[in-house]
Amino acid sequence: MHKMNIWVRQNLLFVIAASLATIAVIFGQFDPTYIKYDVLVSLFGLMIVLAFFQTSGLLRWASIKLIDWSGNSRVIIQSMVLTSFFGSFLLSNDIAVLTLLPIYLNILRHLPAFKGRVLGAALIVVAANLGGVFFPFSNPQNLIIYSTYPVDFVSFMWWTLPLMVAGFILVMVATFFVEKRAAHTQVEGNAVDRSIVIQASIGMVLMVTAIFGLFNIFWTVAFIVAYVLLTNWRYLLQVDYLLLLTFASFFVLVGNITDLTLVQTWLAANISSKAMAYLTGLLASQVFSNVPTTILVSPFTDQAHSLLMGVNIGGLGTMVASLANLIGFTIIRNAMSMDSRAYFKIFTIINVIFVLILGLLFFPW
């Protein structure tokens, strides 16, 4: 019983999501179409590819080089935040977090006395969310809105540019609260297995192009899995399957809520105005995450700009407000060098501050 209690505390998000999904199915239904299989398969494939990178030694080598180049802990965090922010332009916020947090955790092994480790991790995730607002393809909610409403590419970026700039200023100002401590390593970077790096790089290119729609994501991941089974099946053991089940549970929950006549009636009657579309997108994202919220709300309003601002700012806030937030927390939770409770606290404080500032700044008065 004691072991069960420990497991529940360590996997509380999954337990909550699975419990809510179960209740929703009991009072509603289980419809397999509720689950966004392309999202889950994409995450699964990316986790396998990142397992290759971890094994290759490249992440440790990159960590040591960044420490030696930066000279102090604040510059390290600023470098990671900038990479996360601009990297999410093209790679999406989810991929940015999946790629950069493992590198950051490797860096922390060489900075045992660094007190800003939790703040740095939170800012990397926040930066990914804020950078991912810019292009239509930078994150799923943008792509949904871009493909649903009659808005051209240039106009879309004019909509998101002010939010992106404001987010950049906020997150960079926040980095100056990170402890500034001299940083250097006394070890040489370990040997990098180039053959594994090449395999991982090919896998990442395949995954990114498939996510952008150039290849079928299911066939791409099936190819990667087949390759892993033939070469080293242990990479499959490094996938966080509970995280995938957590997302599946949220999809089932939101699907049942979306099917409620009461919800559909309320949405149809109350979100025709700019302010209500904005607030609904922002507030609903705090509970259901911004991608499911976009799917839920978009059929009931023609206020594309307000909804876009709402769900993108809504990706900040709670731990479930965006997929990137959950991915980041899962990585931190499994890290030996990080206190997940402290991370949850700092992450929440930063996100509440950012949501309040940006939420008021971009409210359609």
Side-chain angles (χ1 to χ4, degrees), residues 77-91:
I77 299 303
Q78 289 172 335
S79 300
M80 295 293 294
V81 164
L82 284 170
T83 304
S84 179
F85 187 89
F86 291 109
S88 63
F89 277 23
L90 299 177
L91 298 179

Side-chain angles (χ1 to χ4, degrees), residues 277-296:
Y278 177 84
L279 287 174
T280 302
L282 193 155
L283 297 176
S285 295
Q286 305 306 307
V287 181
F288 304 122
S289 188
N290 54 6
V291 175
T293 294
T294 307
I295 296 170
L296 171 65

Side-chain angles (χ1 to χ4, degrees), residues 254-267:
V254 172
N256 274 282
I257 291 174
T258 304
D259 277 353
L260 292 175
T261 304
L262 179 65
V263 172
Q264 294 177 355
T265 302
W266 187 91
L267 288 172

Side-chain angles (χ1 to χ4, degrees), residues 28-331:
Q29 63 174 333
F30 176 74
D31 186 342
T33 61
Y34 290 155
I35 300 174
K36 306 300 178 185
Y37 297 101
D38 55 338
V39 174
L40 298 184
V41 169
S42 297
L43 274 178
F44 177 63
L46 286 169
M47 289 179 187
I48 296 174
V49 171
L50 289 171
F52 272 83
F53 277 119
Q54 192 73 261
T55 304
S56 71
L58 181 65
L59 299 187
R60 185 170 184 270
W61 176 85
S63 304
I64 293 171
K65 292 298 181 184
L66 180 58
I67 292 172
D68 291 338
W69 171 82
S70 300
N72 69 71
S73 55
R74 184 178 296 167
V75 175
I76 291 172
I77 299 303
Q78 289 172 335
S79 300
M80 295 293 294
V81 164
L82 284 170
T83 304
S84 179
F85 187 89
F86 291 109
S88 63
F89 277 23
L90 299 177
L91 298 179
S92 86
N93 51 356
D94 309 330
I95 300 177
V97 171
L98 269 171
T99 305
L100 293 174
L101 272 187
I103 295 177
Y104 180 65
L105 294 173
N106 272 283
I107 289 174
L108 294 181
R109 296 178 184 178
H110 304 284
L111 302 174
F114 175 43
K115 296 178 181 178
R117 59 184 56 218
V118 176
L119 177 57
L123 289 177
I124 290 169
V125 177
V126 170
N129 278 323
L130 290 171
V133 308
F134 191 40
F135 288 126
F137 50 77
S138 293
N139 54 43
Q141 67 269 18
N142 281 11
L143 194 57
I144 292 169
I145 291 174
Y146 182 69
S147 59
T148 300
Y149 297 96
V151 55
D152 61 84
F153 190 83
V154 175
S155 297
F156 187 97
M157 289 191 296
W158 274 114
W159 285 358
T160 57
L161 179 63
L163 177 56
M164 185 271 288
V165 172
F168 177 77
I169 293 171
L170 274 179
V171 77
M172 289 310 297
V173 168
T175 63
F176 286 95
F177 290 90
V178 174
E179 179 193 25
K180 188 176 182 180
R181 176 185 290 269
H184 61 276
T185 57
Q186 299 294 331
V187 296
E188 295 292 330
N190 61 329
V192 176
D193 190 322
R194 294 184 179 182
S195 66
I196 297 180
V197 171
I198 292 172
Q199 295 172 62
S201 299
I202 293 172
M204 182 61 79
V205 170
L206 288 173
M207 284 302 304
V208 171
T209 51
I211 289 170
F212 287 159
L214 298 180
F215 297 123
N216 181 283
I217 187 64
F218 298 99
W219 283 111
T220 300
V221 174
F223 172 79
I224 292 173
V225 170
Y227 180 80
V228 169
L229 289 172
L230 292 172
T231 55
N232 190 343
W233 61 269
R234 288 180 177 83
Y235 287 122
L236 295 175
L237 301 179
Q238 298 184 43
V239 173
D240 192 334
Y241 293 101
L242 279 183
L243 178 62
L244 299 177
L245 289 173
T246 300
F247 290 130
S249 298
F250 272 113
F251 287 137
V252 171
L253 173 63
V254 172
N256 274 282
I257 291 174
T258 304
D259 277 353
L260 292 175
T261 304
L262 179 65
V263 172
Q264 294 177 355
T265 302
W266 187 91
L267 288 172
N270 292 282
I271 61 170
S272 58
S273 70
K274 292 180 180 180
M276 284 305 297
Y278 177 84
L279 287 174
T280 302
L282 193 155
L283 297 176
S285 295
Q286 305 306 307
V287 181
F288 304 122
S289 188
N290 54 6
V291 175
T293 294
T294 307
I295 296 170
L296 171 65
V297 175
S298 56
F300 298 97
T301 183
D302 59 359
Q303 301 296 339
H305 179 260
S306 296
L307 179 60
L308 178 68
M309 294 295 103
V311 294
N312 272 309
I313 297 173
L316 305 169
T318 64
M319 196 62 72
V320 300
S322 84
L323 189 63
N325 294 353
L326 280 173
I327 292 171
F329 182 70
T330 301
I331 293 172

